[in-house]
Amino acid sequence: MLAAELLLAHSQATAFVGAATMSASINVEGFRWNSFPLRVLVDMNEWSTQDYAVAVREALDSWVRSIWNYTNSFNDTSLTMISYVLYVSDINRTNDYNVLVTFAASEIDPPSNTVGLTTARWNVQTHEPLPPVTVNITTYSATADRLFIRNVAMHEFGHTFGLGHASPQNTLDGPELMYYLSSRNRVLYPSTLDVYGLAMLYKGMYSKTVQLPASIPYKMLSEGTVPRPTSDCWEDWPRYVPLLGSIAIIPVLVLVLRKLGHKNKPEQAAEETPLPPDDLTSVRNI
């Protein structure tokens, strides 16, 4: 078994001093997931609120949407399989999960200013993670706001997917998500460097430092105009209520029209479908 430690440290605030575009690089780990969707369980406890479960879901959605933006912008389809199913312990708990998200009351030791920690084990021959990969996030005794939890969770999910830390602190248009320090007061997204690094990892480049090509601008991948990916999250059900109501009305309308003597059947608009969105092991705290 190989063992190494790499801790994620977040500061209360981050100063932004310009992007180091000429040396934008990111480390990738020695593992990657071979099957999707990832089954993510959020384990609610006394240091968590329902807002934190929503923040975790927002972090995962931002990753999937950013990957789709990268795919749409640079015609690289190597990551289109990345997807997830979210479970929350007090709503739809499962014992069959790949990733476990937990919450702590205070900063994680060592060092004392660590607010997020990802621990992963994997088979060094197959590069397959050995579930569960665990993500621990401090909430300062449930006083942290939702944006803070979202940003920390998004950084930790980068590690969960197989990324290490990025070298620059800033992109051309905002903070670098996978830099070891994180902003708690600004909405973050994965960068082109982050997704390019993932693409190289999932093409078989393990335990390397990946540099962003000059042909790809170094920027954050905001949600943009890419359609919302589908997921099986517990929070999705309200979106289907209007659709179900419309479907229920159709038979009534058909009967009414028949009684009125209409011969033409009402046309149904086609619903648009959004883009889809062992023996030797290694252990790492990221």
Side-chain angles (χ1 to χ4, degrees):
M1 178 179 292
L2 303 178
E5 290 188 355
L6 180 62
L7 299 179
L8 163 65
H10 290 259
S11 65
Q12 297 295 315
T14 301
F16 307 114
V17 294
T21 56
M22 297 303 294
S23 59
S25 62
I26 190 168
N27 296 321
V28 298
E29 297 295 342
F31 69 89
R32 68 176 184 185
W33 298 94
N34 292 328
S35 63
F36 292 91
L38 288 185
R39 299 180 300 279
V40 180
L41 174 63
V42 181
D43 190 17
M44 306 298 286
N45 58 21
E46 59 185 318
W47 311 121
S48 62
T49 70
Q50 287 299 327
D51 260 3
Y52 297 165
V54 175
V56 170
R57 185 264 178 89
E58 289 173 343
L60 285 163
D61 270 356
S62 292
W63 265 108
V64 174
R65 295 177 192 179
S66 295
I67 288 169
W68 274 110
N69 274 312
Y70 182 90
T71 298
N72 185 62
S73 299
F74 303 106
N75 196 30
D76 184 346
T77 61
S78 59
L79 298 174
T80 55
M81 72 295 186
I82 292 182
S83 59
Y84 73 93
V85 179
L86 186 66
Y87 300 92
V88 181
S89 61
D90 58 359
I91 297 178
N92 60 343
R93 185 179 184 90
T94 180
N95 293 322
D96 183 21
Y97 53 85
N98 308 111
V99 179
L100 177 65
V101 180
T102 64
F103 301 101
S106 57
E107 293 172 343
I108 305 161
D109 294 326
S112 60
N113 62 341
T114 300
V115 298
L117 180 67
T118 295
T119 302
R121 299 184 306 130
W122 64 92
N123 185 300
V124 297
Q125 294 180 331
T126 65
H127 303 284
E128 178 73 7
L130 303 176
V133 172
T134 61
V135 173
N136 196 10
I137 301 171
T138 183
T139 68
Y140 297 103
S141 299
T143 64
D145 63 30
R146 181 164 150 184
L147 177 60
F148 174 78
I149 300 300
R150 174 191 176 275
N151 286 349
V152 176
M154 199 180 315
H155 180 109
E156 296 306 322
F157 282 127
H159 292 318
T160 298
F161 290 139
L163 289 177
H165 285 136
S167 60
Q169 186 172 358
N170 298 286
T171 72
L172 289 170
D173 61 356
E176 166 56 59
L177 173 67
M178 296 309 298
Y179 189 66
Y180 77 98
L181 298 175
S182 177
S183 169
R184 67 179 300 170
N185 298 316
R186 177 171 179 173
V187 175
L188 301 180
Y189 294 98
S191 70
T192 49
L193 172 64
D194 304 333
V195 180
Y196 178 79
L198 274 186
M200 294 300 99
L201 173 62
Y202 280 76
K203 290 176 181 177
M205 184 180 290
Y206 302 105
S207 303
K208 302 289 185 180
T209 298
V210 175
Q211 189 160 353
L212 187 68
S215 59
I216 300 178
Y218 184 30
K219 62 181 182 179
M220 288 197 297
L221 288 160
S222 62
E223 293 184 10
T225 57
V226 176
R228 175 188 175 89
T230 58
S231 72
D232 296 327
C233 300
W234 61 272
E235 200 186 33
D236 279 349
W237 68 267
R239 298 194 297 115
Y240 298 99
V241 172
L243 177 60
L244 294 174
S246 300
I247 292 174
I249 291 172
I250 291 174
V252 177
L253 290 176
V254 171
L255 290 175
V256 171
L257 291 175
R258 284 180 178 176
K259 288 184 178 181
L260 293 175
H262 287 265
K263 295 182 179 180
N264 295 328
K265 296 182 179 179
E267 294 183 359
Q268 271 184 274
E271 182 182 355
E272 292 185 2
T273 303
L275 291 175
D278 303 276
D279 291 328
L280 297 176
T281 62
S282 182
V283 182
R284 178 160 298 175
N285 292 327
I286 308 172

